[in-house]
Amino acid sequence: MVFPRVCAARRLGRAVARGLSLPEPSRPRLCSSGPRGARDEAPEARAYFTTPIFYVNAAPHIGHLYSALLADALCRHRRLRAPGAAAAAAATRFSTGTDEHGLKIQQAAAAAGLPPAELCDRVSAQFRRLFRDAGVSSTDFIRTTEARHRAAVQHFWAALRARGLLYKGLYEGWYCASDECFLPEAKVSRQPGPSGAPCPVSAESGHPVCWTKEENYIFRLSRFREPLQRWLRDNPQAITPEPFRRTVLQWLEEDLPDLSVSRKSSHLHWGIPVPGDDSQTIYVWLDALVNYLTVVGYPGAEFKSWWPTTSHVIGKDILKFHAIYWPALLLGAGLSPPHRIYVHSHWTVRGQKMSKSLGNVVDPSSCLDRYTVDGFRYFLLRQGVPNWDCDYYEEKVVKLLDSELADALGGLLNRCTAQRMNPSGTYPAFCATCFPREPGLAGPSARAGAEDYALVSAVAALPRQVADHYADFQIYKALEAVSSCVRQTNGFVQRHAPWKLSWESPVDAPWLGTVLHVALECLRIFGTLLQPVTPSLADKLLSRLGVSATERGLGELAFLPRFYGHPCPFEGRKLGPETGLLFPRLDQSRACLVKAHRT
Ligand code: ME8
């Protein structure tokens, strides 16, 4: 799938080797013309991103924050593509929230000795605070205990019933309250319980299950096997990354029994009653999934302008609910399945699943305090790989942030803007004879070599590469690509050692200005592309370079225009004020803290 990009890079390499001029980078790319067709949508089109809504039985952990940050980065990247901030804000919607009904919450409240509503208020507020502190730019926060949601769920229920998709029947099977789902016998195993006797548990999650036999309302899920298969065949990008789509297709080959969508109210009272039948409470997953519609105003007319553009970010644990139950329910209610489902894997801690009982849950708020908001955002998104589980440990955070943000990026900015190196405090001029576009025709004053042309072509290709990685939900690869270009730019500066050149020398000065100009242009691209992941750090970097708020969109991102013979709006412009280190090294600040503590 990356083949066309590799070819393009190789073509550029060959052009440089043959001494041909570098092709001008296409305008910051908004869509790719790869073999998959329209991978990206028009930047002016609407987009609606969602995170899962999180259970309020326990405080948030880094896994929840990771989901929210992935959605945040996708949404922020999308806004950057739209022309103009106001238009971008109007065209994107981003929701998160809390899932507050169901047996799991009912039991957690009972165990805590609290009324369920009080537990919900407390924990929901913790999620809201965490996301605000972490800079999650959501436009909506939904709680399933809100009246607007109850109305939406009951309307949705009535739509299913009107289409003859609900019937009453006896439902019998294992129920897992922790996972809020029924399980067939084949998915249940036995594990020694507290007394040592074998207890039935979900083979997948390890959570205890109970045998349940009830008369419930049942949804005719079995009717949707073919429509779901067709949807996935016709929309190869509906579920990303690809291995998860294959998993869903595999599930659709297996048995697809009808689904119980209510529980007896005597057993489950903490939920939304079935319209017209108070003896039954709506199944918490049906209730929860409808949140995505509630947010955009369902069943009012407004929701229709948002609904077809929905992109759900979810963890792999809830894939079946989002990729089978939810699209089937939507089709059943006469609506289209979501536009895209982005799936990610899990964070483990020192090789173990995070769990309250193991006592290894990582508190995201203390991580934000310890590593800074931008630092921790960068870590999670740089190290989190959607296709595989990732392991968390502290040493890894410090090492990554010190090397990539403090040393490589911060060091580069510092080198190119320091008073000693850049006494005029301006964006220096680019000299086209020192760095001619056509190396083969270079005159005697040309100073750029093959590696310098390779740097220019790498950074010119970067916005497109980053956009492709975002479209593929491989944000870590986007960051890897930026980081690799940062390293290359440091190499460029190191190679030409501008500190050995003199502004006083008529021979050195044009080249010295050019080296700094190229490095600052690279930094401007890095700062712009890092905005979705490290918004404050990117703001600090771009402000230091003197890039105004209206010059930070991807539409305005023309790299090194002087090299391609165009005017550069930054050339000669005063740099922004010096506001200290871009990202102080963590090992040093921690050493200082320890020292201060000791004295
Ligand atoms: O399932 N690593 O809520 P939930 C990464 N309420 N992400 C993780 C994670 C980990 N270790 N643990 C959890 C629910 N997540 C339902 C969802 S949506 C209509 C209803 C993230 O509180 C991941 O996104 O158990 C996962 O899917 C979600 O939190 C589950 O959160």
Side-chain angles (χ1 to χ4, degrees):
M1 277 181 197
V2 287
F3 184 61
R5 283 199 299 266
V6 173
C7 286
R10 289 216 186 106
R11 274 201 303 276
L12 279 175
R14 279 202 298 271
V16 172
R18 279 196 238 114
L20 300 175
S21 62
L22 283 184
E24 190 160 353
S26 47
R27 281 236 117 208
R29 218 184 69 84
L30 301 174
C31 13
S32 151
S33 53
R36 275 175 286 175
R39 300 157 42 126
D40 265 350
E41 300 73 36
E44 66 282 1
R46 288 187 161 194
Y48 170 36
F49 294 93
T50 72
T51 73
I53 49 168
F54 302 103
Y55 286 131
V56 288
N57 62 310
H61 59 60
I62 57 167
H64 302 124
L65 179 60
Y66 178 56
S67 278
L69 291 180
L70 283 167
D72 187 47
L74 284 180
C75 187
R76 284 176 183 264
H77 186 261
R78 171 76 187 199
R79 290 185 193 129
L80 280 182
R81 290 171 43 206
T92 50
R93 199 102 179 233
F94 170 20
S95 83
T96 186
T98 43
D99 188 354
E100 306 189 1
H101 289 138
L103 203 55
K104 186 182 174 98
I105 307 305
Q106 187 178 301
Q107 289 175 349
L114 289 173
E118 199 175 321
L119 177 73
C120 294
D121 286 349
R122 276 191 201 177
V123 184
S124 181
Q126 289 180 13
F127 274 96
R128 200 190 276 266
R129 210 174 311 125
L130 169 68
F131 294 160
R132 185 202 58 204
D133 292 350
V136 173
S137 63
S138 49
T139 57
D140 295 82
F141 189 98
I142 178 155
R143 300 182 56 185
T144 53
T145 44
E146 291 173 50
R148 61 171 176 154
H149 179 65
R150 183 189 180 106
V153 171
Q154 291 190 327
H155 189 95
F156 191 84
W157 180 278
L160 294 177
R161 192 161 52 199
R163 289 164 173 259
L165 293 169
L166 300 177
Y167 62 94
K168 225 167 173 186
L170 191 69
Y171 205 93
E172 192 170 2
W174 294 104
Y175 193 80
C176 176
S178 283
D179 303 338
E180 293 281 19
C181 67
F182 278 99
L183 292 167
E185 184 65 48
K187 297 271 165 75
V188 173
S189 62
R190 304 296 188 283
Q191 266 179 17
S195 66
C199 290
V201 296
S202 158
E204 219 166 88
S205 68
H207 294 137
V209 298
C210 281
W211 186 257
T212 310
K213 188 173 174 184
E214 274 185 15
E215 195 180 43
N216 295 150
Y217 287 93
I218 297 174
F219 171 63
R220 296 189 191 280
L221 179 63
S222 53
R223 285 194 184 171
F224 289 86
R225 180 201 303 276
E226 274 201 21
L228 291 176
Q229 286 171 328
R230 210 174 318 122
W231 163 58
L232 290 178
R233 261 199 317 271
D234 295 349
N235 297 279
Q237 289 182 56
I239 301 173
T240 306
E242 173 61 19
F244 294 111
R245 189 176 85 101
R246 285 201 298 272
T247 302
V248 175
L249 283 168
Q250 181 58 43
W251 285 336
L252 288 171
E253 295 292 315
E254 295 164 11
D255 195 24
L256 191 65
D258 287 350
L259 177 71
S260 164
V261 284
S262 72
R263 307 298 311 274
K264 264 190 166 160
S265 312
S266 54
H267 184 61
L268 171 68
H269 60 80
W270 185 241
I272 300 175
V274 165
D277 183 355
D278 279 358
S279 73
Q280 294 276 321
T281 303
I282 294 177
Y283 175 40
V284 65
W285 265 102
L286 192 156
D287 170 342
L289 288 162
V290 172
N291 94 82
Y292 301 130
L293 289 171
T294 308
V295 165
V296 287
Y298 177 86
E302 180 211 352
F303 92 94
K304 289 199 176 126
S305 62
W306 289 101
W307 187 248
T309 68
T310 311
S311 296
H312 297 310
V313 171
I314 58 162
K316 64 179 183 180
D317 52 321
I318 54 177
L319 180 59
K320 190 172 275 174
F321 300 95
H322 283 78
I324 294 188
Y325 301 167
W326 182 223
L329 287 164
L330 285 164
L331 288 168
L335 300 171
S336 50
H339 175 53
R340 296 195 72 169
I341 302 176
Y342 295 107
V343 192
H344 65 80
S345 301
H346 284 174
W347 281 92
T348 54
V349 175
R350 296 194 182 268
Q352 280 187 312
K353 195 175 164 175
M354 243 186 304
S355 90
K356 230 167 143 181
S357 51
L358 286 174
N360 64 352
V361 174
V362 181
D363 168 24
S365 296
S366 58
C367 293
L368 294 173
D369 289 344
R370 214 171 314 145
Y371 306 120
T372 74
V373 171
D374 285 86
F376 200 56
R377 286 175 65 106
Y378 186 81
F379 170 77
L380 286 181
L381 294 173
R382 171 80 169 90
Q383 289 287 311
V385 177
N387 301 44
W388 299 283
D389 285 355
C390 300
D391 202 30
Y392 177 86
Y393 52 96
E394 184 163 319
E395 299 83 320
K396 198 149 106 178
V397 191
V398 175
K399 209 166 148 195
L400 179 90
L401 299 184
D402 279 353
S403 76
E404 294 196 356
L405 294 186
D407 296 347
L409 188 66
L412 180 62
L413 178 70
N414 195 37
R415 274 171 147 187
C416 303
T417 52
Q419 157 79 14
R420 207 165 15 89
M421 183 71 60
N422 188 342
S424 65
T426 55
Y427 221 92
F430 177 86
C431 166
T433 50
C434 296
F435 204 146
R437 181 159 178 203
E438 305 193 10
L441 306 176
S445 42
R447 309 274 289 259
E451 284 176 286
D452 306 327
Y453 286 92
L455 168 72
V456 170
S457 68
V459 179
L462 189 62
R464 177 186 179 134
Q465 240 176 43
V466 164
D468 282 348
H469 290 317
Y470 270 83
D472 290 341
F473 196 46
Q474 302 290 330
I475 295 172
Y476 83 100
K477 283 193 187 169
L479 293 174
E480 203 169 78
V482 172
S483 173
S484 151
C485 283
V486 172
R487 272 198 305 277
Q488 234 176 315
T489 314
N490 269 314
F492 166 79
V493 173
Q494 193 66 30
R495 221 170 21 254
H496 298 299
W499 49 90
K500 290 190 185 157
L501 303 172
S502 160
W503 286 109
E504 310 306 324
S505 151
V507 180
D508 283 354
W511 178 234
L512 172 52
T514 303
V515 170
L516 294 184
H517 180 102
V518 171
L520 292 184
E521 274 293 276
C522 292
L523 277 164
R524 183 172 65 82
I525 303 299
F526 305 149
T528 307
L529 295 174
L530 283 173
Q531 290 176 101
V533 173
T534 53
S536 307
L537 178 133
D539 173 45
K540 192 168 176 181
L541 194 164
L542 293 170
S543 300
R544 179 70 175 120
L545 299 184
V547 180
S548 73
T550 55
E551 295 167 324
R552 298 177 180 189
L554 293 175
E556 290 74 46
L557 193 62
F559 171 60
L560 205 56
R562 293 279 285 104
F563 178 78
Y564 301 99
H566 304 305
C568 171
F570 303 100
E571 198 172 63
R573 193 189 281 187
K574 206 95 198 111
L575 293 180
E578 149 76 310
T579 48
L581 288 180
L582 185 68
F583 190 88
R585 280 185 68 91
L586 289 162
D587 58 357
Q588 278 169 13
S589 30
R590 295 166 113 234
C592 289
L593 272 181
V594 172
K595 214 167 134 194
H597 192 68
R598 285 210 196 107
T599 49

